């Protein structure tokens, strides 16, 4: 199954310690780029989280955000780093003795980084719950990208059907176009009062047929449609390959238009280019 590069997922995890909310969103990007907005206590996990995303995603600009609200009433006893606290107090007293600073506030000491910390065991449990919530969020996110991919797949299949229809129309009309062109050529000769031998007329028609022969272009378009369907059926990251296929489609449609000698064939070539452009725009969203 193919995936879109755009997606969104949100998951809220509630536990005794509080609430964690994960949000993941992504947009188109040539390569995979991941950005994380994490609380300070989870910054150390950023590299491992980035590696996990690389294993599951190939392309897209992915933003991952964690909002954490800890229930203070459920927190366990705080652990105080007594040595660090004593050092902070001593330094603060020294500053007070050598300046006009006010008295030391105990709360300011507790706010000093590293003086107070939750017990390691509680943090381990919190981290475990938060990572489990991320796993669920990531699964929902990937499912959302697959759902978007399925919608794009359906649209591409419809446009490929349209290409096949136009190719069949041109192939069916070409014999009539050649008859029309022969009659047109003879009419012009008559109007110009030019008498040509039947053999010369046939030579002119053969030369014209060679210049306007589009059988090769039609065959290639059919082959490109078949190859594009195979790529879609195989699934996985296929955006770049399909984008290359659109270039090949465009090349044949342009050649068909340049060889056209009839308004119906020209209209078919224009419709082909419209269908190809519609596919190309959607393929830009694929992983």
């Amino acid at each position: 199954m193919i995936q879109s590069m755009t997606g969104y997922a949100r998951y809220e995890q509630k536990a005794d310690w509080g609430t964690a909310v994960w949000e993941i969103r992504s947009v188109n990007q040539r390569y995979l780029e991941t950005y994380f907005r994490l609380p300070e206590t989870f910054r150390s996990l950023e590299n491992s989280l980035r590696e996990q995303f690389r294993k599951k995603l190939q392309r897209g600009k992915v933003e991952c955000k964690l909002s954490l609200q800890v229930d203070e009433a459920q927190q366990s006893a705080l652990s105080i780093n007594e040595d660090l606290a004593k050092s902070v107090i001593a330094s603060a007293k020294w500053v007070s003795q050598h300046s006009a600073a006010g008295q030391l506030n105990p709360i300011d000491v507790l706010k000093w980084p590293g003086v107070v910390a939750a017990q390691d065991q509680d943090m381990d449990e919190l981290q475990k719950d938060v990572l489990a919530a991320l796993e669920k969020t990531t699964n929902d996110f990937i499912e959302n990208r697959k759902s978007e991919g399925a919608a794009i797949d359906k649209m591409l299949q419809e446009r490929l059907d349209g290409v096949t229809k136009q190719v069949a129309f041109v192939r069916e009309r070409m014999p009539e176009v050649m008859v029309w062109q022969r009659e047109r050529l003879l009419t012009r000769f008559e109007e110009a009062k030019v008498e040509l031998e039947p053999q010369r007329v046939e030579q002119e028609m053969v030369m014209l047929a060679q210049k306007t022969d589009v059988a090769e272009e039609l065959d290639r378009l059919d082959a490109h449609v078949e190859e594009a369907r195979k790529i879609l059926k195989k699934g996985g990251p296929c955006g770049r390959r399909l984008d290359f296929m659109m270039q090949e489609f465009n090349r044949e449609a342009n050649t068909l238009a340049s060889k056209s000698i009839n308004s119906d064939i020209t209209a078919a070539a224009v419709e082909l280019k419209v269908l190809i452009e519609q596919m190309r725009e959607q393929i830009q969203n694929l992983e």
Side-chain angles (χ1 to χ4, degrees), residues 14-27:
K14 291 186 177 181
D16 293 338
W17 46 262
T19 303
V21 178
W22 282 102
E23 282 187 271
I24 307 176
R25 67 182 75 234
S26 66
V27 294

Side-chain angles (χ1 to χ4, degrees), residues 5-272:
M5 282 192 285
T6 59
Y8 176 80
R10 182 182 185 276
Y11 184 80
E12 182 175 325
Q13 171 74 28
K14 291 186 177 181
D16 293 338
W17 46 262
T19 303
V21 178
W22 282 102
E23 282 187 271
I24 307 176
R25 67 182 75 234
S26 66
V27 294
N28 298 354
Q29 183 65 281
R30 187 175 181 182
Y31 302 105
L32 177 63
E33 293 185 12
T34 52
Y35 300 88
F36 295 91
R37 297 173 60 186
L38 306 174
E40 194 62 35
T41 52
F42 287 87
R43 286 290 183 185
S44 59
L45 298 176
E46 185 170 331
N47 288 334
S48 62
L49 294 181
R50 182 173 285 106
E51 188 62 29
Q52 290 181 30
F53 274 87
R54 285 176 180 171
K55 293 179 180 179
K56 297 180 180 181
L57 306 174
Q58 298 294 324
R59 298 173 68 196
K61 180 179 179 181
V62 183
E63 296 183 7
C64 184
K65 176 184 176 182
L66 170 62
S67 300
L68 195 63
Q69 185 175 359
V70 179
D71 187 354
E72 296 181 359
Q74 297 295 331
Q75 284 186 334
S76 59
L78 297 177
S79 173
I80 298 179
N81 187 333
E82 295 183 6
D83 292 337
L84 179 58
K86 290 177 181 178
S87 178
V88 172
I89 293 172
S91 298
K93 287 181 178 180
W94 184 88
V95 172
S96 298
Q97 292 173 359
H98 293 80
S99 69
Q103 294 183 351
L104 178 65
N105 188 336
I107 299 300
D108 291 336
V109 177
L110 294 177
K111 289 182 178 179
W112 191 267
V115 171
V116 178
Q119 293 182 358
D120 292 341
Q121 183 177 359
D122 294 336
M123 285 302 299
D124 289 342
E125 181 181 354
L126 187 152
Q127 187 178 104
K128 180 179 178 181
D129 291 344
V130 168
L131 291 179
L134 175 60
E135 183 70 19
K136 295 178 181 178
T137 312
T138 304
N139 291 337
D140 292 343
F141 171 70
I142 292 176
E143 286 302 316
N144 182 258
R145 284 170 52 123
K146 288 181 178 179
S147 178
E148 291 283 340
I152 294 175
D153 189 341
K154 181 180 178 182
M155 190 284 297
L156 293 177
Q157 296 289 356
E158 291 174 352
R159 300 305 185 276
L160 289 172
D161 289 340
V163 171
T164 300
K165 181 178 179 181
Q166 293 301 321
V167 169
F169 170 78
V170 174
R171 185 175 279 118
E172 182 180 352
R173 286 283 289 129
M174 282 308 296
E176 298 178 21
V177 170
M178 295 309 300
V179 172
W180 169 81
Q181 183 61 24
R182 178 187 177 88
E183 294 175 352
R184 184 184 179 191
L185 183 63
L186 291 175
T187 300
R188 287 184 176 180
F189 286 155
E190 291 176 359
E191 292 175 351
K193 297 181 180 180
V194 176
E195 295 184 4
L196 293 177
E197 298 179 357
Q199 185 177 1
R200 179 61 185 277
V201 174
E202 293 302 322
Q203 290 176 349
E204 292 290 335
M205 288 303 301
V206 169
M207 293 176 60
L208 182 62
Q210 291 175 344
K211 292 180 180 180
T212 59
D213 182 22
V214 294
E216 184 177 355
E217 286 74 18
L218 298 179
D219 290 342
R220 286 179 179 173
L221 283 169
D222 280 336
H224 294 340
V225 169
E226 184 178 353
E227 180 63 21
R229 292 192 193 278
K230 287 181 180 179
I231 294 173
L232 290 171
K233 184 177 180 180
K234 184 178 180 180
C238 59
R240 290 193 181 99
R241 189 172 181 185
L242 285 172
D243 189 52
F244 171 77
M245 289 299 304
M246 292 306 105
Q247 297 178 34
E248 297 300 307
F249 271 101
N250 253 324
R251 184 176 290 108
E252 304 307 331
N254 288 334
T255 305
L256 179 64
S258 67
K259 290 184 176 182
S260 175
I261 57 174
N262 179 273
S263 59
D264 290 342
I265 306 303
T266 300
V270 171
E271 180 62 20
L272 279 172

